[in-house]
Amino acid sequence: MSDVEEKLAKSLTAESVELIPYLPYLLQDLWELGSSPKDMVHLISKNIIISEKTKVLDLACGKGAVSIKLAKELGCQVKGIDIMQDFIENAKKKAQEFKVETLCEFIVGDINQYVEVEKGYDIVILGAVGEVLGNQEETLNKLSKTIKKDGYVLLDDAYARSESNEIYITKKKWIEIIEKSGYQMVEDLLVDESEFSGVLNEQIMCLTKRTNELKEKYPSQTHLFDQYLKSQLAECDELENDVIGATMLLKKI
């Protein structure tokens, strides 16, 4: 089991790397994997002057929903990187479908390696992948290397409702880390909890259907699929009760 596989599994709420080959099937009904393209577009268009020369790096881009939305609505150049081959192939097809293939480049790769070599971006996006690049401070420091002076970082994460949360941190703690890492918070957008609940329910319905299909096809792996669905339900419960989803726009200072 490689460190990359372990981080990938964790970022997609999979308890075991054994599930990785089945993830494209399980997630086939979902294009937006975590981050809200609508929220990303809103924060960027409201706070940043965008032109056709604006360069955006979308790390752990999944199936390209955010990248394609930005290219389509704002006309900027986007490079998306994800370690899942199937996700990248899907992103390329979607880019053609939305007629933005000339603005979008999608690459299969480990974002831990790419943050060391990608430079000079106006905006870098990291959405809903947990600690793939390290803790909050380590992540911000790594992202800092990829953007221009006065560049921006868009993070999709969450604020803990209380300081007793062992996984997430409070907004107050986030701001301390953001400032310590050489950024300022430009704006944050909290999820609409009533709308979010509906999205989560729809996702769970899709995942339950695909999980049951896999259990029929691979009965010896039933425990694996049941554990995945259990993890997804637990994460949804946490997102609805223990944390507040937030998209943060940060400026490097």
Side-chain angles (χ1 to χ4, degrees), residues 53 60 65 72 89 93 97 108 203 205 222 247 252:
K53 294 182 179 179
K72 184 71 175 177
E89 292 304 318
K93 290 175 183 175
E97 181 184 324
V108 179
Q203 290 180 352
M205 284 178 58
T222 290
T247 304
K252 186 177 177 182

Side-chain angles (χ1 to χ4, degrees), residues 140 174-185 253:
L140 290 177
W174 257 114
I175 291 174
E176 288 175 7
I177 293 171
I178 287 165
E179 292 176 351
K180 181 182 177 184
S181 303
Y183 296 87
Q184 68 179 38
M185 174 89 80
I253 53 176

Side-chain angles (χ1 to χ4, degrees), residues 30-49:
L30 309 178
W31 185 31
E32 298 177 12
L33 300 176
S35 302
S36 165
K38 181 179 73 173
D39 289 350
M40 296 279 186
V41 169
H42 172 78
L43 285 172
I44 289 174
S45 57
K46 180 181 175 183
N47 294 285
I48 307 172
I49 298 172

Side-chain angles (χ1 to χ4, degrees), residues 230-247:
K230 183 180 176 182
S231 297
Q232 291 295 311
L233 289 167
E235 184 184 41
C236 287
D237 182 68
E238 182 175 49
L239 289 171
E240 287 190 290
N241 299 296
D242 301 333
V243 301
I244 305 167
T247 304

